[in-house]
Amino acid sequence: MDFQSFLRYPLEDLPFIALALIIAFTVHEFAHAYSAYKFGDDTAYNAGRVTLNPRVHLDVIGTILILIAGFGWAKPVPVNPSKFSRPRLMSIIVTAVGPLSNLLIGTIGVFIFVPLHIYGVLDSASIGVSMAVERFFSYFISFNFLLFVFNLIPLPPLDGYRIISDLMPLRIRYKMDQNVQWGMFIFLLIVFIPPLRRVTLDPILGLATNMASNTLRLAYSIFS
């Protein structure tokens, strides 16, 4: 049996993928936890989630699935909006900072990698080291832009759904919460049925590729 056939990515790239995912997921969940704590909710803090220690944020199944299916998740951060002075506004901010943190570190990755490439910093390194750095940054940048776009899709259990829910009037939010299970069912259908994925999820995730490419072009134009 060929183990590679079960994976979405090349087997030899798994160390770079794992490191990129660990950083991306950890920063994302830390951003949720830290912002909630700063707004007065100590729920995540008491659960030990206000930390950059990956062990408390990673979900084993969610991490494995991204290697197999191309998508995954980390452990959700517990948040109690009733502890916020302005529950709706602060809930939206706490939810939004997760995807935004991925956009930020993805952009930082671009502006670290491009000068390394342009100024030949890696030229004196061995071919193996040079290829390893390029592969890591390739996955690191693409995953973070991907997580930014993916998490803003307005379907449960993603951050985009929670943002939309918090923006709605209470009666509409109540109805939305009553039908969360159907939203999750639709989400799973879109992910796992290729024809549906090709006309729904894939074009959306294509935005992440375009964003990463445009950011890279901007960085090259700045440093050239």
Side-chain angles (χ1 to χ4, degrees):
M1 182 179 292
D2 182 10
F3 181 68
Q4 176 67 67
S5 63
F6 291 99
L7 299 176
R8 188 173 178 87
Y9 302 100
L11 186 62
E12 63 271 19
D13 287 356
L14 289 189
F16 311 110
I17 293 169
L19 181 57
L21 284 176
I22 287 171
I23 297 172
F25 281 151
T26 299
V27 170
H28 181 108
E29 300 305 330
F30 169 78
H32 286 314
Y34 180 77
S35 58
Y37 179 62
K38 284 298 182 179
F39 283 149
D41 176 20
D42 59 358
T43 306
Y45 178 83
N46 293 332
R49 300 297 298 276
V50 185
T51 177
L52 287 171
N53 181 356
R55 292 169 56 187
V56 304
H57 296 300
L58 296 183
D59 181 277
V60 175
I61 295 176
T63 304
I64 291 173
L65 265 178
I66 203 167
L67 302 178
I68 298 173
F71 83 100
W73 57 82
K75 293 178 183 176
V77 169
V79 177
N80 184 356
S82 65
K83 294 187 176 183
F84 297 148
S85 59
R86 301 180 66 182
R88 180 175 293 190
L89 174 62
M90 292 179 175
S91 291
I92 292 172
I93 295 173
V94 167
T95 302
V97 295
L100 288 173
S101 70
N102 291 122
L103 177 62
L104 175 62
I105 64 172
T107 304
I108 291 172
V110 168
F111 280 86
I112 291 175
F113 171 73
V114 170
L116 291 178
H117 186 256
I118 286 181
Y119 299 133
V121 175
L122 299 174
D123 290 352
S124 60
S126 66
I127 295 177
V129 170
S130 179
M131 289 181 62
V133 171
E134 289 190 8
R135 284 189 184 183
F136 166 74
F137 274 104
S138 174
Y139 283 114
F140 181 78
I141 292 166
S142 62
F143 280 149
N144 276 289
F145 278 92
L146 182 67
L147 286 172
F148 168 69
V149 172
F150 179 74
N151 276 287
L152 290 179
I153 295 173
L155 284 173
L158 302 175
D159 293 329
Y161 172 81
R162 291 197 290 270
I163 293 172
I164 295 296
S165 176
D166 284 327
L167 287 171
M168 293 294 108
L170 285 175
R171 62 183 181 83
I172 297 179
R173 192 190 318 175
Y174 178 71
K175 290 181 179 180
M176 289 175 65
D177 290 343
Q178 284 184 314
N179 295 286
V180 163
Q181 70 276 15
W182 294 110
M184 295 184 70
F185 180 69
I186 293 171
F187 172 74
L188 291 174
L189 287 178
I190 289 172
V191 168
F192 287 109
I193 297 180
L196 284 178
R197 177 168 177 158
R198 280 195 294 270
V199 298
T200 55
L201 188 59
D202 287 348
I204 294 173
L205 297 183
L207 295 174
T209 302
N210 291 335
M211 289 179 65
S213 298
N214 289 334
T215 307
L216 280 164
R217 279 195 289 270
L218 174 63
Y220 274 108
S221 67
I222 291 172
F223 288 104
S224 292

